[in-house]
Amino acid sequence: MTRAKKNIPPGQKSDFTGEKAEWLDSFKDTILGAGRDEIRAEYTDIANRFVLRYGYDLPFSDNVVGDPTLNPPVIPVAVTEEEKTRREEIRATLRTKLSNWYRTRYRNKKANGAALKQILGAMQGMAGNAQRPRRKAVLAMYWKLHYEERVKPAFDAMWANTKDSVPITMRVSMMQDYVRSCWEAESEEFKKGVEDQCSRVHEEAMKKWRAGRLGESFTAEEYNDALESMEDVVIPLADALAESVFSDTAEGAISKMWAQFDHLGFTATEASITRYGNAFFTTPEQVHLSRKGPVFAQGLIAISLGNPY
DNA sequence: TAGTGGGCGATTGAGGTCCC
DNA sequence: GGGACCTCAATCGCCCACTA
């Protein structure tokens, strides 16, 4: 039984929808055009404008009725320290929300670029320039290792009693608070064990990362594994390159076959890449690869394996 | 050179929708 | 029905620019 499509995006709803989302969207060009040095000022500026437009008391997830400029909020001068603190906290939260909102939409890669991410990840891994591994925060390690047994039963019970009285968007922050309180209640010995594990995992990851950067040669097994994973992404990429190249222009998106767009260039490039692939791989490897995809793809795989950048 | 501030990307589990 | 995919908020480590 298939449900009727409602054209509603998956996932939880954003705090900024409707008129607010449209208004924030009007700053798109400003955000996209801002350099690293300017972006922080832009976020702050938009947060300031947001407060002037919607006030401090409108819940983030709510929208005003009608045009907010026709009935602007009345914001009296904050006379008490409490009120000043409250406003500062609202502005800080708002600024974080706004920066996340803009980054997610305009400054980060699109989430649905999973296939591209896989291709780039495989290529990075082969080239030995994968991102430096990050040390997992001790709380994150605790969460990962012990959430199910030490936190979840109690948190689930608490959430069941609370969820009808608070917005769903509170859930994550409540969970984070709860995990933190559980962590703080653990014994010093237990905490040290988790911290040690963080260090061990990070050291191990760093060891592998450094080895890759130093250009240590692959073992036969690692080479073969890498080759297999490259086939999954490079061969479809080779097909895609040969089939269609899309180009965004001011006049709108146009689609052209690369081979049609620049026939001489395409033919010369294809021949060069293919020659390189033939020279790079042994005959048995060529036979193995040719069963899986076009000869052109062998050249692309060879370039990825052969460039030590 | 050391310290600081802040942007960015990764991360977490659950909830919501869509598709098979 | 169940898995895939995407979203949410807030935190943290990393990195870089800037300042003293």
Side-chain angles (χ1 to χ4, degrees), chain A residues 36-185:
Chain A
R36 185 185 169 84
D37 295 340
E38 299 144 352
I39 191 68
R40 65 190 67 168
E42 297 297 346
Y43 289 149
T44 303
D45 180 53
I46 295 171
N48 290 339
R49 292 174 186 232
F50 188 101
V51 167
L52 290 175
R53 187 178 174 92
Y54 301 106
Y56 287 97
D57 298 318
L58 181 72
F60 289 128
S61 55
D62 287 5
N63 274 309
V64 295
V65 179
D67 184 351
T69 60
L70 297 179
N71 191 17
V74 178
I75 306 176
V77 176
V79 287
T80 66
E81 285 305 311
E82 272 183 8
E83 178 60 13
K84 286 178 186 170
T85 304
R86 186 184 79 92
R87 291 185 184 183
E88 280 171 15
E89 286 173 354
I90 289 173
R91 282 161 58 93
T93 302
L94 174 64
R95 193 180 178 288
T96 301
K97 282 174 181 283
L98 289 176
S99 59
N100 278 336
W101 193 86
Y102 280 118
R103 271 203 296 276
T104 303
R105 280 158 185 78
Y106 306 133
R107 292 178 74 88
N108 292 356
K109 58 191 173 299
K110 290 296 179 191
N112 62 3
L116 180 59
K117 193 177 178 181
Q118 185 192 4
I119 290 170
L120 295 176
M123 288 183 169
Q124 276 192 326
M126 291 305 303
N129 66 342
Q131 272 195 339
R132 177 191 171 107
R134 294 174 174 216
R135 190 179 195 281
K136 194 182 264 297
V138 68
L139 201 60
M141 180 64 83
Y142 174 67
W143 201 322
K144 181 177 179 174
L145 295 178
H146 303 293
Y147 178 81
E148 287 291 330
E149 52 169 304
R150 291 180 176 255
V151 180
K152 190 173 189 298
F155 178 76
D156 284 351
M158 188 189 82
W159 177 245
N161 290 329
T162 317
K163 65 180 181 183
D164 293 335
S165 57
V166 299
I168 184 66
T169 50
M170 290 290 293
R171 190 176 182 286
V172 174
S173 59
M174 282 180 68
M175 187 192 298
Q176 286 175 336
D177 289 345
Y178 198 82
V179 171
R180 186 180 294 279
S181 66
C182 288
W183 166 252
E184 286 168 357

Side-chain angles (χ1 to χ4, degrees), chain A residues 204-215:
Chain A
E204 189 61 33
M206 285 296 290
K207 207 181 288 179
K208 284 186 183 169
W209 178 72
R210 287 196 194 99
R213 276 171 63 93
L214 290 173

Side-chain angles (χ1 to χ4, degrees), chain A residues 205-280:
Chain A
M206 285 296 290
K207 207 181 288 179
K208 284 186 183 169
W209 178 72
R210 287 196 194 99
R213 276 171 63 93
L214 290 173
E216 285 186 358
S217 57
F218 291 104
T219 64
E221 193 178 5
E222 287 168 341
Y223 181 89
N224 190 60
D225 286 349
L227 198 54
E228 291 296 326
S229 72
M230 289 298 284
E231 289 169 9
D232 294 341
V233 294
V234 176
I235 290 171
L237 177 62
D239 284 341
L241 282 174
E243 282 170 6
S244 181
V245 172
F246 291 89
S247 140
D248 288 330
T249 70
E251 293 77 32
I254 60 167
S255 173
K256 280 194 176 73
M257 297 275 289
W258 177 17
Q260 293 169 351
F261 176 73
D262 181 5
H263 183 69
L264 284 177
F266 172 81
T267 305
T269 304
E270 182 191 36
S272 174
I273 291 174
T274 301
R275 276 200 305 278
Y276 185 61
N278 286 336
F280 189 90

Side-chain angles (χ1 to χ4, degrees), chain A residues 8-17 61 101 105 168-169:
Chain A
I8 300 170
Q12 292 185 20
K13 287 184 172 55
S14 169
D15 277 338
F16 307 122
T17 58
S61 55
W101 193 86
R105 280 158 185 78
I168 184 66
T169 50

